[in-house]
Amino acid sequence: MAKWKRNAKRDFQQTASVYESYYNLTVNSSNPQPNLCVSLAENEVAGELTAVEKVWVTGAISAASLDTTTVTLSYFLYAMSLYPKVQERAQNLLDEVVGRSRMPNFDDMKQLPYIRAIVKEVLRWQPVTPLAIPHAAMEDDWYEGYFIPKGTIVFPNVWSMNRDQETYGPDADQFSPERFIQKSETGNGFVLCPEFENNDGHFSYGFGRRVCVGRHVAENSLFITACTILWALHIEPKAVTTPMSKHGAAQDILNSTPDFDCHFSLRFPEVEDILQDTLAGSNVSVS
Ligand code: HEM
């Protein structure tokens, strides 16, 4: 009689079969790279997990990381084509710190505060979940005269928090990585504002004990991808692109990839050879 139970069972089976097919594809690959699926299959870190649990652990991590990172990277490209001065400043810094004879790497992170600021600003400006993920109040609470009984489902308005003018200033609606950096007290350059060294500077990773557990992985992968793209490519809008209206993208539970078209060109002729050489020197195989 309970249709929701049948639906839940059906959804579980459909999702499980998708996760299982990716898990098996990875584990049975003829040239497997070190990864969590292989480690779990070989029982290195599996503990007491059943076969189904191993499939769901890896599947859930993919589900939580793929869309979120993809949407954020799309907005990064959108911002770069829309704000050429930001792109230029980042590329000048990359030329200064990394140069044009090798690719950027994680050792450069400390000297690239502006790129870290760009990543923070993309996440602030276009949160992937504008209304976060609903949470339940753990105890009775009062907020600005409103009583919130224990158990109430609360939707944190991340879109609005990330645009709070008292916190971010009158240009909170604009894309401006400058808000996260300040002049260095010791040298000529700029540094990440100390308060943002260990603080996201936005609310896009959620709240409380269920805050995104993958945020450090996300931050690192967004940083290195942004660096590599900016180091290698010049990004221009293909057609005239105008900034989205105030609430343009935030109409859904999940912010979606912006609809725009851009053109990429190599920043200098050696890029292709350096990318190929770096790939050849790494363990990664590309087919
Ligand atoms: C731009 C990238 C990302 C964004 C914006 C993001 C955002 C979020 C948000 C908003 C939540 C819900 C938090 C809450 O309930 O308040 C969440 C949960 C989660 N995220 Fe991420 N995420 C990102 C990348 C990743 C990555 C790369 C991974 C894994 C490597 C990951 C793994 C998870 C997991 C497992 C949860 C569930 C945590 C729990 O319920 O206890 N996320 N993420």
Side-chain angles (χ1 to χ4, degrees):
M1 297 291 284
K3 188 163 182 274
W4 66 271
K5 284 191 187 176
R6 290 200 301 280
N7 289 349
K9 207 167 178 182
R10 182 203 57 206
D11 290 350
F12 172 82
Q13 274 156 358
Q14 278 176 356
T15 312
S17 83
V18 173
Y19 286 173
E20 193 176 13
S21 67
Y22 287 128
Y23 181 87
N24 289 337
L25 202 68
T26 313
V27 170
N28 299 327
S29 152
S30 56
N31 178 22
Q33 310 295 323
N35 66 60
L36 185 60
C37 296
V38 172
S39 301
L40 286 176
E42 289 171 358
N43 263 328
E44 281 173 30
V45 290
E48 309 261 301
L49 295 184
T50 64
V52 173
E53 284 164 348
K54 289 179 190 178
V55 164
W56 274 83
V57 165
T58 48
I61 290 179
S62 308
S65 59
L66 283 179
D67 270 357
T68 47
T69 311
T70 309
V71 168
T72 307
L73 278 175
S74 302
Y75 273 112
F76 159 75
L77 295 176
Y78 179 71
M80 291 305 102
S81 57
L82 210 58
Y83 295 86
K85 286 211 159 59
V86 173
Q87 186 183 159
E88 195 185 335
R89 182 171 181 176
Q91 286 169 335
N92 288 341
L93 183 66
L94 281 159
D95 282 346
E96 203 181 300
V97 172
V98 179
R100 295 185 169 195
S101 57
R102 66 166 178 87
M103 284 176 65
N105 61 47
F106 284 113
D107 293 337
D108 301 315
M109 203 168 196
K110 197 95 196 134
Q111 288 161 278
L112 295 171
Y114 195 58
I115 319 274
R116 291 179 67 193
I118 289 178
V119 170
K120 283 182 184 295
E121 182 65 351
V122 174
L123 284 160
R124 181 199 71 86
W125 186 56
Q126 293 296 335
V128 178
T129 47
L131 282 179
I133 302 289
H135 284 247
M138 291 171 72
E139 49 194 62
D140 288 352
D141 200 2
W142 285 91
Y143 180 73
E144 296 197 350
Y146 289 92
F147 177 56
I148 303 172
K150 179 180 173 178
T152 305
I153 293 179
V154 180
F155 287 75
N157 190 344
V158 170
W159 183 268
S160 164
M161 289 175 189
N162 280 359
R163 278 167 162 68
D164 177 26
Q165 296 204 351
E166 272 183 34
T167 311
Y168 299 104
D171 69 340
D173 218 28
Q174 299 296 313
F175 180 82
S176 174
E178 277 71 14
R179 69 180 88 251
F180 289 113
I181 55 168
Q182 66 180 41
K183 276 216 153 105
S184 159
E185 283 171 11
T186 48
N188 287 334
F190 284 79
V191 292
L192 202 68
C193 301
E195 65 267 35
F196 298 123
E197 269 297 341
N198 296 312
N199 177 338
D200 297 328
H202 54 76
F203 300 93
S204 308
Y205 287 126
F207 304 88
R209 67 195 167 107
R210 304 304 295 266
V211 69
C212 174
V213 286
R215 66 194 185 284
H216 302 298
V217 176
E219 207 81 5
N220 283 348
S221 81
L222 290 169
F223 168 80
I224 205 66
T225 311
C227 282
T228 308
I229 291 174
L230 287 168
W231 172 85
L233 300 169
H234 184 63
I235 307 154
E236 273 174 310
K238 247 190 190 161
V240 181
T241 313
T242 45
M244 264 166 308
S245 65
K246 213 170 171 194
H247 303 290
Q251 288 166 354
D252 229 325
I253 282 285
L254 204 66
N255 197 340
S256 50
T257 302
D259 189 12
F260 75 106
D261 213 353
C262 55
H263 179 260
F264 298 97
S265 52
L266 296 186
R267 284 186 63 231
F268 46 96
E270 296 81 14
V271 163
E272 224 171 322
D273 283 345
I274 299 173
L275 289 176
Q276 292 291 357
D277 288 352
T278 314
L279 197 60
S282 75
N283 252 343
V284 180
S285 64
V286 178
S287 51

